[in-house]
């Protein structure tokens, strides 16, 4: 893969996989630079705040389909809680459960979107599960995946979004790079309980720059500064070419315009491959949560946090 133009190419990381314990840190004032809070494999983090407790969910690792950890503060001590999704839907096979997203539903229960391998199409597809607790266990819902465009490579990287009028949406990426096709970030309206698709999906953004390495993925949507801000990751997730970019739009469905410069790169942060991001907060005291590569062989990606600031609709970290 070609290196990004704004930093040297792939870094050979000498670090081996770190010990299985979560980093033990005490809550402290926000640092200017991103810092690691989980130093073991915890990729594609998604964070939800519930009654003063933060829950982080991550791509499968070891025997856990959906990793979950909790903390009293975003930058505080994180402790693992086990497998949030011990049983996949009957349509899926284990081992490829990626990029979970958890949100609270109007009735106080919790909805999990997860990506897994659909046995019928042999593509990654998005399924649903529900729980009365943010820590799980979540129980799969439905006889099949919610989103599964097999002809477009499948679907991955689900993300929930609630607009200012209370309407709810699902964002995802068609896994086009798996079949030599474009990778689009889609927006799809869903029912209030998150289990039913409504209307047609809308294409928001696709890969169109050389440094993106043929794909964009991991959508995160927020409303800030009178605009919609769509964060995304691009490049190869397993090395220093991975980075976090963003685009802005005056309306929910676009058009979205990519920033001239990315939000996070290996060169600027010193963290190899910063991506798979999530935004925690309401625009007042936001945090950016993301993973970085700790080791390439074996691939280990830890969880980092950093204060996220806004100048209108323009984000900055640190």
């Amino acid at each position: 893969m070609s290196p990004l133009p704004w930093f040297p190419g792939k870094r050979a990381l000498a670090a081996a996989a770190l010990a299985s314990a979560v980093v033990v840190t005490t809550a402290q004032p926000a640092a200017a630079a991103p810092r690691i809070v989980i130093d073991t494999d915890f990729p594609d983090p998604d964070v939800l705040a519930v009654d003063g407790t933060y829950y982080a969910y991550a791509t499968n690792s070891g025997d856990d389909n959906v990793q979950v950890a909790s903390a009293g503060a975003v930058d505080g001590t994180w402790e693992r809680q086990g497998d949030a999704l011990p049983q996949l839907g009957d349509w899926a096979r284990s081992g490829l459960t990626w990029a979970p997203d958890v949100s609270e539903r109007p009735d106080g229960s919790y909805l999990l979107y997860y990506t897994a391998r659909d046995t019928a199409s042999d593509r990654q597809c998005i399924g649903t599960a529900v729980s009365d607790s943010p820590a799980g266990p979540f129980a799969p819902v439905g006889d099949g995946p919610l989103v599964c465009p097999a002809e477009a490579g499948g679907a991955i990287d689900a993300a929930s979004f609630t607009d200012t009028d209370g309407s709810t949406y699902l964002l995802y990426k068609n896994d086009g790079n798996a079949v030599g096709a474009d990778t689009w970030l889609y927006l799809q309206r869903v029912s209030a309980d998150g289990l039913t698709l409504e209307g047609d999906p809308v294409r928001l953004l696709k890969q169109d720059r050389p440094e993106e390495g043929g794909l964009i993925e991991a959508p995160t949507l927020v409303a800030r500064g009178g605009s919609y801000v769509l964060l995304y990751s691009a490049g190869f997730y397993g090395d220093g070419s991975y980075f976090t970019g963003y685009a802005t739009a005056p309306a929910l469905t676009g058009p979205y315009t990519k920033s001239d410069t990315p939000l996070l790169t290996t060169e600027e942060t010193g963290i190899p491959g910063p991506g798979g991001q999530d935004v925690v907060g309401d625009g007042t005291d936001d945090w950016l949560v993301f993973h970085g590569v700790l080791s390439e062989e074996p691939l280990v990606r830890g969880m980092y946090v950093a204060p996220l600031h806004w100048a209108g609709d323009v984000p900055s970290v640190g």
Side-chain angles (χ1 to χ4, degrees), residues 58-304:
T59 285
N60 65 274
S61 183
D63 294 329
D64 292 344
N65 290 317
V66 172
Q67 301 184 80
V68 59
S70 63
V74 177
D75 61 340
T77 303
W78 287 87
E79 297 182 358
R80 292 185 180 274
Q81 301 297 323
D83 192 346
L85 184 65
Q87 181 65 47
L88 301 179
D90 291 340
W91 57 272
R93 64 177 174 86
S94 61
L96 295 168
T97 310
W98 299 347
D101 175 273
V102 176
S103 58
E104 188 171 2
R105 303 202 295 177
D107 65 359
S109 63
Y110 298 90
L111 170 68
L112 166 67
Y113 290 121
Y114 66 97
T115 298
R117 181 65 59 146
D118 174 42
T119 56
S121 65
D122 199 32
R123 299 294 179 197
Q124 293 292 93
C125 297
I126 294 169
T128 56
V130 296
S131 176
D132 291 332
S133 167
F138 286 81
V141 176
D143 297 328
L146 180 67
V147 182
C148 194
E151 70 287 349
I156 69 171
D157 292 353
S160 54
F161 175 72
T162 301
D163 204 357
T164 53
D165 64 358
S167 54
T168 52
Y169 296 85
L170 170 66
L171 293 104
Y172 62 90
K173 165 209 172 186
N174 76 288
D175 203 20
N177 51 293
V179 294
D182 286 334
T183 58
W184 283 95
L185 302 183
Y186 283 89
L187 179 77
Q188 172 84 63
R189 184 159 183 170
V190 295
S191 57
D193 65 6
L195 299 177
T196 304
L197 302 176
E198 297 182 349
D200 296 321
V202 178
R203 286 177 167 179
L204 301 182
L205 211 61
K206 74 169 185 175
Q207 85 293 338
D208 57 11
R209 294 180 176 179
E211 64 267 21
E212 292 167 348
L215 66 91
I216 59 174
E217 57 191 17
T220 304
L221 184 62
V222 295
R224 298 289 186 272
S227 300
Y228 292 90
V229 184
L230 178 61
L231 287 76
Y232 60 89
S233 299
F236 175 57
Y237 64 85
D239 65 28
S241 70
Y242 210 50
F243 69 95
T244 300
Y246 70 96
T248 58
L252 176 62
T253 56
Y256 282 84
T257 301
K258 292 180 181 178
S259 170
D260 290 335
T261 57
L263 179 61
L264 294 176
T265 67
T266 299
E267 182 183 44
E268 292 178 350
T269 64
I271 299 167
Q277 72 296 317
D278 190 26
V279 175
V280 185
D282 60 4
T284 302
D285 294 304
D286 282 352
W287 289 85
L288 188 71
V289 181
F290 61 95
H291 71 236
V293 177
L294 305 180
S295 167
E296 290 184 19
E297 294 182 4
L299 181 59
V300 178
R301 291 166 289 171
M303 188 173 96
Y304 291 78

